[in-house]
Amino acid sequence: EVQLVESGGGLVQPGGSLRLSCAASGFTFSRYWMTWVRQAPGKGLEWVANIKQDGSEKYYVDSVKGRFTISRDNAKNSMYLQMNSLRAEDTAVYYCASAVYAMVRGVIVNWFDPWGQGTLVTVSS
Amino acid sequence: DIQMTQSPSSLPASVGDRVTISCRASQTISGYLNWYQQKPGKAPHLLIYAASSLQSGVPSRFSGSGSGTDFTLTISSLQPEDFATYYCQQSYITPLTFGGGTKVDIK
């Protein structure tokens, strides 16, 4: 069974740090781009970051650049999100997902599937 | 950044209704458009990728269409398990962006 399980969420004070983990199983983790997506309470989805199969390319949404770092360990089938200088607006459920790339009608397209169940990060004093 | 605008934001409907949700991109994204379903307290779930390709295991009452800047998700006959929030997402260029969501609820 293909599965992604996030961990590491919790309550942290503004300015603090937290490291999220995403453990993958049931598929060849090293063959896939991976991504983090977050959802603030009662709000929509926001893409946060993604990372290439070998970790050589990483991309971030502007609001987390310089504060968050995405990484992966293919030997451990795991991805991470190091979050520093946390702000109240970072409060959200953080989901990890696999980013699938495939040729469709002659074009390489991509989508997020599957997703983990999410881990809640609360930034508050 | 590419802005994704969904309409309507809320859609009251009844079982058996044909439901249509629109998604518009602020610039052309060709066919790089995905649709997800999310139920309360659950992770999003892929329905449609590349604008019109049905994900394996998703019921055929779901369909997607469109290209360029205008896209549509259609549910041909709404079922009780389809009451949920639906999001479009462009995968054309980073930052990858989602629409604001359309909540389909009971009329």
Side-chain angles (χ1 to χ4, degrees):
Chain A
E1 178 192 5
V2 174
Q3 194 172 17
L4 294 170
V5 179
E6 301 93 336
S7 59
L11 175 63
V12 61
Q13 292 187 339
S17 298
L18 211 55
R19 188 195 195 210
L20 305 183
S21 299
C22 172
S25 59
F27 66 103
T28 307
F29 177 76
S30 61
R31 293 178 60 183
Y32 291 87
W33 282 75
M34 295 295 295
T35 196
W36 288 99
V37 174
R38 67 184 179 183
Q39 186 170 36
K43 302 297 184 181
L45 301 169
E46 180 184 36
W47 170 78
V48 174
N50 60 6
I51 185 168
K52 194 176 180 180
Q53 292 93 328
D54 62 0
S56 62
E57 293 182 36
K58 305 174 184 181
Y59 301 93
Y60 301 90
V61 68
D62 280 351
S63 60
V64 308
K65 281 180 183 175
R67 300 189 300 123
F68 290 11
T69 301
I70 189 172
S71 63
R72 64 191 295 162
D73 184 339
N74 288 340
K76 295 183 178 180
N77 290 335
S78 293
M79 176 180 65
Y80 308 99
L81 187 66
Q82 177 66 44
M83 304 185 295
N84 299 330
S85 303
L86 282 161
R87 306 166 180 168
E89 54 265 35
D90 296 318
T91 294
V93 173
Y94 284 73
Y95 296 101
C96 68
S98 172
V100 179
Y101 284 74
M103 180 77 72
V104 177
R105 298 184 291 276
V107 178
I108 297 177
V109 294
N110 65 90
W111 59 86
F112 302 143
D113 182 69
W115 297 59
Q117 85 289 348
T119 187
L120 176 62
V121 173
T122 303
V123 184
S124 174
S125 55
Chain B
D1 298 0
I2 297 177
Q3 308 302 319
M4 305 300 294
T5 303
Q6 284 183 238
S7 60
S9 57
S10 178
L11 182 53
S14 301
V15 173
D17 284 354
R18 180 180 180 87
V19 169
T20 299
I21 298 169
S22 296
C23 177
R24 174 166 289 179
S26 60
Q27 64 187 76
T28 183
I29 57 171
S30 186
Y32 293 83
L33 191 284
N34 306 315
W35 289 98
Y36 302 87
Q37 177 194 67
Q38 186 180 34
K39 296 181 179 179
K42 300 294 186 181
H45 170 70
L46 177 71
L47 296 175
I48 302 284
Y49 61 91
S52 60
S53 296
L54 190 67
Q55 170 68 344
S56 176
V58 174
S60 59
R61 62 181 179 273
F62 291 93
S63 64
S65 64
S67 183
T69 60
D70 292 305
F71 301 85
T72 300
L73 174 69
T74 300
I75 309 173
S76 60
S77 179
L78 195 68
Q79 297 302 300
E81 60 268 31
D82 300 337
F83 290 101
T85 300
Y86 295 85
Y87 294 93
C88 62
Q89 176 244 331
Q90 65 84 11
S91 61
Y92 183 69
I93 193 170
T94 57
L96 307 174
T97 46
F98 291 85
T102 295
K103 184 176 183 180
V104 178
D105 55 14
I106 299 173
K107 184 184 291 184

